[in-house]
Amino acid sequence: MGAQQVRDGFVELYGAEPEGVWAAPGRVNLIGEHTDYNDGFVMPFALPHTAVAAVSRRADGRLRLHSSDIEGGVVDLELDSLTPGSDAGWASYPAGVVWALREAGHPVTGADVHLASTVPTGAGLSSSAALEVVVALALNDLYELGLPGWKLARLCQRAENVYVGAPTGIMDQTASACCESGHALFLDTRDLSQKQIPLDLAAEGMRLLVVDTQVTHAHSGGEYGKRRAGCEKGAALLGVDALRDVPFDGLDAALARLGDEEEVRRLVRHVVTEDERVERVVRLLESGDTRAVGPVLTEGHASLRDDFRVSCPELDLVVETAVAAGALGARMTGGGFGGSAIVLADAADVDTLTKAVEEAFAAAGHKAPRVFEAVPSAGARRLS
């Protein structure tokens, strides 16, 4: 989505030029699923798909929001009336960001916003985080708030947790705000320390495919919240602040202490082993053994499917079909219950794998999947 196209849309809507145009990307998580709200490790990278916003300040306490992707006119809100839990549909995400900024004491007095996004919605690629971060970055620049990317991510997470009511972790917003082109972001979600890990699959003759199953999911649904509550229960039973604090080499002993809490045992086992998988992938990438990442992805999918139980038949079909057709590895990515899977493959096998997945979906009577290459791209930035 070009900056000029969004700028022109702003002018048509509001009758004046915007003060600027910004972009924030969606993300794919290479490894580290459902670890972020357990103070653990994640490893996302930014997609080339972005939410783009043309924005100008207002001084009268009004927030006007419009999306070219959503039917309907401009959503006109009073800043003093912004209240967590108020149902504003898609507009609750940018409105929540404004609420979070003002609640934190930042002098935001209003804005006109026009948005357009190429991040697929409901596909587990963080379309909501892109929407939040692009608005936060624009207001940070326009109001000269001086907030670094990680602080903007924190405020956006608060907007989604408290204002929207979705119990998500910090990964999505941090990825959108802080990723760099050609790198994956190794993020410690406890202290928000970051390390950019070079990831140039094309140079090594490999590709990472995203397979959008077209099965939509909603983070604010009850199942996601149940998993998070179960993880918190596990940490409490084990006497730790978060499951991040359960050592991998002490996992068996920890599981034994949980006794007959079978559901909690499964959740704990996934989170602790997933944190170890993230650290393993970092070591593999830094040592140049990128091909060996594939089996770790597949291992992670089995854990998400069997222990965390957030997969679905369509996601399992992608993974099983791709691996059987010669992929280096595959797994679901994102919160689960639908959304997307990723497939690591040799470049020469991409067409064969894509065809195999498409044929498997057709044979199973599923809606045709959307398949595209994921290229590590730039994080949030000002376009003009």
Side-chain angles (χ1 to χ4, degrees):
M1 185 65 62
Q4 189 59 49
Q5 186 177 351
V6 179
R7 178 181 289 274
D8 292 344
F10 184 99
V11 174
E12 184 177 344
L13 275 170
Y14 301 120
E17 287 282 338
E19 292 184 84
V21 181
W22 291 259
R27 65 97 190 94
V28 156
N29 192 23
L30 183 64
I31 193 74
E33 219 66 79
H34 290 278
T35 51
D36 58 346
Y37 54 80
N38 289 290
D39 283 2
F41 305 121
V42 295
M43 200 174 185
F45 63 83
L47 289 168
H49 307 72
T50 58
V52 179
V55 185
S56 286
R57 289 167 291 181
R58 296 184 67 93
D60 59 359
R62 291 172 65 197
L63 175 63
R64 297 197 294 179
L65 301 165
H66 183 268
S67 170
S68 64
D69 308 309
I70 308 292
E71 286 191 15
V74 174
V75 178
D76 197 334
L77 303 169
E78 294 287 339
L79 296 191
D80 291 340
S81 299
L82 297 180
T83 306
S86 56
D87 183 12
W90 72 269
S92 62
Y93 294 98
V97 169
V98 176
W99 169 83
L101 285 167
R102 283 165 54 84
E103 190 202 35
H106 300 294
V108 177
T109 57
D112 285 338
V113 181
H114 173 56
L115 292 148
S117 179
T118 57
V119 185
T121 59
L125 303 175
S126 300
S127 58
S128 59
L131 199 60
E132 293 157 359
V133 170
V134 73
V135 172
L137 180 62
L139 296 176
N140 186 50
D141 287 354
L142 290 176
Y143 284 97
E144 299 180 341
L145 304 180
L147 298 171
W150 68 268
K151 283 192 175 181
L152 291 177
R154 274 283 192 219
L155 287 164
C156 290
Q157 182 200 15
R158 180 162 176 76
E160 188 150 348
N161 290 173
V162 179
Y163 195 90
V164 179
T168 55
I170 190 64
M171 173 181 65
D172 296 350
Q173 293 84 0
T174 305
S176 186
C178 301
C179 278
E180 295 181 3
S181 178
H183 293 76
L185 178 68
F186 176 40
L187 173 67
D188 181 333
T189 65
R190 169 166 283 169
D191 62 12
L192 296 188
S193 59
Q194 303 176 16
K195 186 175 184 180
Q196 301 286 345
I197 308 294
L199 184 63
D200 187 353
L201 296 172
E204 299 185 61
M206 286 175 278
R207 299 288 188 272
L208 190 76
L209 302 178
V210 174
V211 181
D212 177 1
T213 64
Q214 307 280 350
V215 178
T216 59
H217 67 169
H219 270 167
S220 54
E223 290 300 317
Y224 188 98
K226 287 179 186 177
R227 303 304 190 282
R228 183 163 186 165
C231 290
E232 291 168 354
K233 180 179 180 180
L237 289 172
L238 292 170
V240 294
D241 291 336
L243 294 183
R244 146 74 173 275
D245 298 311
V246 179
F248 178 70
D249 58 7
L251 176 58
D252 288 343
L255 294 177
R257 288 170 55 199
L258 292 171
D260 59 0
E261 293 277 358
E262 182 55 36
E263 183 175 352
V264 174
R265 282 164 55 91
R266 289 198 310 268
L267 299 178
V268 170
R269 183 164 52 227
H270 167 72
V271 172
V272 175
T273 58
E274 186 79 346
D275 273 335
E276 188 276 335
R277 281 186 284 273
V278 177
E279 293 184 295
R280 213 187 321 162
V281 168
V282 171
R283 292 194 298 269
L284 290 169
L285 291 177
E286 290 186 329
S287 67
D289 194 7
T290 307
R291 293 178 65 85
V293 169
V296 186
L297 303 184
T298 309
E299 180 186 317
H301 181 79
S303 182
L304 288 159
R305 180 192 64 211
D306 300 335
D307 278 344
F308 224 72
R309 300 190 178 185
V310 292
S311 191
C312 68
E314 292 85 352
L315 289 168
D316 293 341
L317 184 60
V318 174
V319 173
E320 293 161 8
T321 303
V323 171
L328 299 171
R331 74 172 189 91
M332 56 155 282
T333 188
F337 311 110
S340 298
I342 55 174
V343 178
L344 183 65
D346 286 313
D349 295 336
V350 165
D351 290 344
T352 301
L353 290 169
T354 300
K355 183 179 179 182
V357 170
E358 291 173 342
E359 289 178 346
F361 266 56
H366 299 321
K367 185 176 180 180
R370 178 184 179 218
V371 184
F372 60 90
E373 184 181 349
V375 180
S377 301
R381 58 213 182 268
R382 186 166 187 163
L383 299 179
S384 66

